[in-house]
């Protein structure tokens, strides 16, 4: 009887220890913070699928709008309690500051494993947004520090029906600036609105100004300007600023453009109240929700010069970083590898109408998205230039363009004011 009780006790003990061991082997849960309201439902579905496949739970937490999200990320960084996976909304210098503070994992080794298997799935220009190259001005060691979830290009779109009403070929949008300006008279005569865009949000003005700067003077001269080697009063910059005056004088710009927010511009274009819009590839999803029957196409901004190719902003649309201090960093990387694989990328694109970052997923997307995707051949972005302009200079340039459009200032006046601020900021930097 005693022996039986001892054996029974040993059995119970091992059973308890076995249960305890199983509890300690519970798989980690991965936390992801994001701001993408249009993708949240798709993310939740993918999280369920990943848990079914691996047993690992992924918690996507949405914080919107983007300003609120950014504030939460900054506060979490200060408190050193960032989630396993997160994104940063801001300029490359903001990205660099998080890396320097030790918040972001260098994922280059994962990208390059197995003969660069993961790296080779992406558009190179999408990866470039998240990469710091040798000799970068931010003092960051060379490497890739984030994963693109989708790509974007910012181009012009045109309403095919309205072009036809103007007596133009709906399948041949204007290719040169002069062709574009000539349409202004037709737009005014027909009582229509021309180009709409969120130029009350000045970064979109900055985007188009950069497009034309690359087209007129080439990348090298633009970067030389940022470095302080070329003045904003240079004749080529006067040409760039004069384009906005020409657009206004031609009648091709919509009324109230300089105070228009992008949501209003999207509503006007989706409701067929404007012939053109300057917007990003994310607009495909927006327009679909506002007017599924809208007939439109994407086009490069009409070129002002044949000397250099037109450049557009493009690259990674949204990106995720891995918390370098996370105890789940390895599992977080594995999840991102899965999330950016062909099938998951195709699903995200089909459900949200965003361009996939995985170049092998493009075969299943609508033609309008393909038009935006083809723009990647012309894509550039300030985050890949290796140098950054002073924020006060950017603001002065963009506000100056607004003043040109409403007739308050001339291109020459704006150029002189911008250059003055540039010289002042450079003097401050040298004095440090």
């Amino acid at each position: 009887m005693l022996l039986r009780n001892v054996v029974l006790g040993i059995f119970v003990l091992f059973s308890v220890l076995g249960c305890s061991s199983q509890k300690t082997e519970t798989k980690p849960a991965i936390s992801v913070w994001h701001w993408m309201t249009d993708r949240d439902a798709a993310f939740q579905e993918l999280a369920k699928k990943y848990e079914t496949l691996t047993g690992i739970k992924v918690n996507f937490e949405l914080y919107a709008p983007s300003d609120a999200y950014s504030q939460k990320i900054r506060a979490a960084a200060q408190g050193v309690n960032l989630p396993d996976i997160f994104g940063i909304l801001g300029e490359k210098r903001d990205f660099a500051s998080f890396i320097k503070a030790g918040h972001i994992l260098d994922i280059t080794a994962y990208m390059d494993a197995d003969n660069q298997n993961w790296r080779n799935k992406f558009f190179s220009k999408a990866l470039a947004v998240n990469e710091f190259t040798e000799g970068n001005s931010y003092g960051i060691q060379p490497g890739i520090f984030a994963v693109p979830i989708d790509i974007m290009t910012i181009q012009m779109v045109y309403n095919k029906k309205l072009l036809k009403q103007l007596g133009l070929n709906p399948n041949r949008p204007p290719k040169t600036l002069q062709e574009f300006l000539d349409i202004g008279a037709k737009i005014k005569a027909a009582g229509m609105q021309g180009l709409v865009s969120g130029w009350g949000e000045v970064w979109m003005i900055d985007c188009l100004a950069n497009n034309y700067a690359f087209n007129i003077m080439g990348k090298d001269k633009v970067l030389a300007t940022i470095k302080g080697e070329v003045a904003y009063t240079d004749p080529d910059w006067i040409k760039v600023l004069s384009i906005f005056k020409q657009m206004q004088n031609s009648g091709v710009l919509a009324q109230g453009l300089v105070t228009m927010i992008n949501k209003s511009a999207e509503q006007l274009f989706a409701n067929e109240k404007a012939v053109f819009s300057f917007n990003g590839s994310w607009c495909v999803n927006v327009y679909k929700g506002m007017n599924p029957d809208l007939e439109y196409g994407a086009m490069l901004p009409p070129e002002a010069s044949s000397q250099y190719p037109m450049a557009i902003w493009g690259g990674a649309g949204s990106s995720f970083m891995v918390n370098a201090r996370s105890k789940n960093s390895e599992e977080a990387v594995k999840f991102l590898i899965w999330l950016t694989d062909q099938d998951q990328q195709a699903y995200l694109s089909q459900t949200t109408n965003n361009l996939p970052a995985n170049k092998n997923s493009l075969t299943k997307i609508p033609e309008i998205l393909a038009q935006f995707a083809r723009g990647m051949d012309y894509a550039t972005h300030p985050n890949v230039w290796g140098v950054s302009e002073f924020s006060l200079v950017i603001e002065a340039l963009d506000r100056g363009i607004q003043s040109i459009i409403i007739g308050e200032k001339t291109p020459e006046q704006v150029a002189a004011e911008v250059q003055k601020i540039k010289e002042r900021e450079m003097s401050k930097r040298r004095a440090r």
Side-chain angles (χ1 to χ4, degrees):
M1 183 71 175
L2 178 62
L3 179 62
R4 198 176 94 180
N5 288 341
V6 170
V7 171
L8 182 62
I10 293 172
F11 176 78
V12 171
L13 176 62
F14 273 102
S15 297
V16 170
L17 289 174
C19 292
S20 175
S21 175
Q22 287 177 356
K23 287 180 182 178
T24 60
E25 292 176 1
T26 301
K27 292 186 177 181
I30 299 170
S31 58
V32 186
W33 289 1
H34 77 100
W35 64 96
M36 296 167 266
T37 54
D38 63 325
R39 272 154 277 195
D40 189 56
F43 283 152
Q44 300 298 342
E45 285 300 314
L46 288 172
K48 292 177 185 176
K49 183 176 180 180
Y50 191 72
E51 185 175 8
T52 300
L53 289 171
T54 66
I56 295 175
K57 187 173 182 60
V58 181
N59 297 312
F60 277 95
E61 298 179 40
L62 172 65
Y63 299 98
S66 56
D67 286 347
Y69 172 82
S70 292
Q71 290 174 7
K72 185 172 181 66
I73 287 293
R74 285 194 293 269
Q78 290 172 358
V80 196
N81 59 353
L82 286 162
D84 301 314
I85 297 172
F86 61 97
I88 296 173
L89 301 177
E91 299 178 4
K92 194 96 171 188
R93 59 168 62 92
D94 300 313
F95 191 2
S97 68
F98 271 71
I99 296 172
K100 288 179 178 178
H103 296 310
I104 298 177
L105 184 70
D106 182 347
I107 58 172
T108 310
Y110 299 99
M111 285 283 176
D112 291 342
D114 299 324
N115 295 317
Q116 299 187 328
N117 180 53
W118 194 19
R119 179 195 289 262
N120 290 335
K121 293 179 180 179
F122 296 100
F123 287 97
S124 60
K125 291 184 178 179
L127 275 183
V129 172
N130 297 317
E131 185 174 13
F132 289 82
T133 55
E134 190 74 43
N136 65 82
S137 63
Y138 305 99
I140 302 297
Q141 64 179 19
I144 299 173
F145 292 84
V147 184
I149 302 303
D150 50 46
I151 62 173
M152 66 87 190
T153 60
I154 301 176
Q155 303 186 54
M156 285 190 182
V157 290
Y158 59 97
N159 185 301
K160 294 186 176 183
K161 186 189 298 184
L162 295 184
L163 274 189
K164 190 173 183 180
Q165 289 180 19
L166 292 171
L168 301 169
N169 186 339
N171 297 312
R172 191 194 178 283
K175 292 185 177 181
T176 68
L177 179 63
Q178 192 56 56
E179 289 177 346
F180 184 59
L181 297 175
D182 290 343
I183 297 175
K186 296 178 181 292
I187 290 173
K188 284 197 291 187
M192 296 180 182
Q193 293 285 350
L195 175 72
V196 294
S197 187
W199 286 5
E201 305 165 29
V202 291
W203 73 267
M204 296 197 77
I205 296 179
D206 193 59
C207 177
L208 189 59
N210 273 276
N211 295 168
Y212 279 113
F214 271 65
N215 178 228
I216 288 172
M217 68 187 80
K219 177 182 178 180
D220 290 345
K221 193 169 182 178
V222 174
L223 298 190
T225 306
I226 296 173
K227 294 174 184 176
E229 299 165 0
V230 173
Y232 279 98
T233 50
D234 184 274
D236 281 341
W237 278 104
I238 301 298
K239 289 179 184 177
V240 172
L241 295 172
S242 296
I243 287 173
F244 294 90
K245 182 179 180 180
Q246 290 175 275
M247 287 183 180
Q248 177 63 19
N249 292 343
S250 74
V252 79
L253 300 183
Q255 296 176 359
L257 183 60
V258 297
T259 58
M260 191 178 291
I261 61 171
N262 206 42
K263 184 57 66 179
S264 298
E266 288 172 341
Q267 290 171 339
L268 286 168
F269 187 80
N271 294 328
E272 302 189 279
K273 303 295 185 183
V275 183
F276 299 99
S277 184
F278 181 63
N279 209 352
S281 50
W282 59 80
C283 71
V284 175
N285 194 47
V286 174
Y287 296 152
K288 183 179 179 181
M290 293 178 173
N291 182 3
D293 299 322
L294 183 66
E295 295 180 31
Y296 67 105
M299 59 182 258
L300 294 176
E303 64 177 18
S305 169
S306 58
Q307 187 173 359
Y308 296 98
M310 176 57 71
I312 58 173
W313 281 10
S318 304
S319 296
F320 280 137
M321 297 93 180
V322 174
N323 183 350
R325 295 184 174 90
S326 169
K327 63 182 181 181
N328 300 323
S329 60
E330 287 289 328
E331 290 298 336
V333 171
K334 289 178 184 177
F335 172 68
L336 290 178
I337 292 173
W338 179 85
L339 184 65
T340 54
D341 208 1
Q342 183 173 348
D343 289 344
Q344 286 69 252
Q345 284 280 287
Y347 172 76
L348 277 171
S349 182
Q350 291 162 7
T351 54
T352 69
N353 285 299
N354 287 287
L355 295 175
N358 188 318
K359 59 189 178 185
N360 301 320
S361 305
L362 291 181
T363 56
K364 299 179 180 179
I365 64 176
E367 173 57 23
I368 183 60
L369 277 175
Q371 290 175 21
F372 273 104
R374 287 193 282 271
M376 284 294 286
D377 292 338
Y378 304 88
T380 185
H381 196 274
N383 283 350
V384 303
W385 296 346
V387 292
S388 296
E389 185 56 277
F390 298 105
S391 57
L392 289 177
V393 173
I394 295 173
E395 183 179 1
L397 181 70
D398 300 343
R399 297 294 183 192
I401 290 173
Q402 288 180 324
S403 297
I404 291 170
I405 291 172
I406 62 177
E408 282 186 349
K409 296 176 183 176
T410 66
E412 290 78 8
Q413 287 174 322
V414 170
E417 291 175 2
V418 173
Q419 183 59 26
K420 184 177 180 181
I421 294 172
K422 174 74 172 183
E423 291 172 359
R424 184 187 70 199
E425 294 303 302
M426 290 191 70
S427 295
K428 288 180 181 177
R429 176 186 285 176
R430 287 191 292 265
R432 288 172 190 162

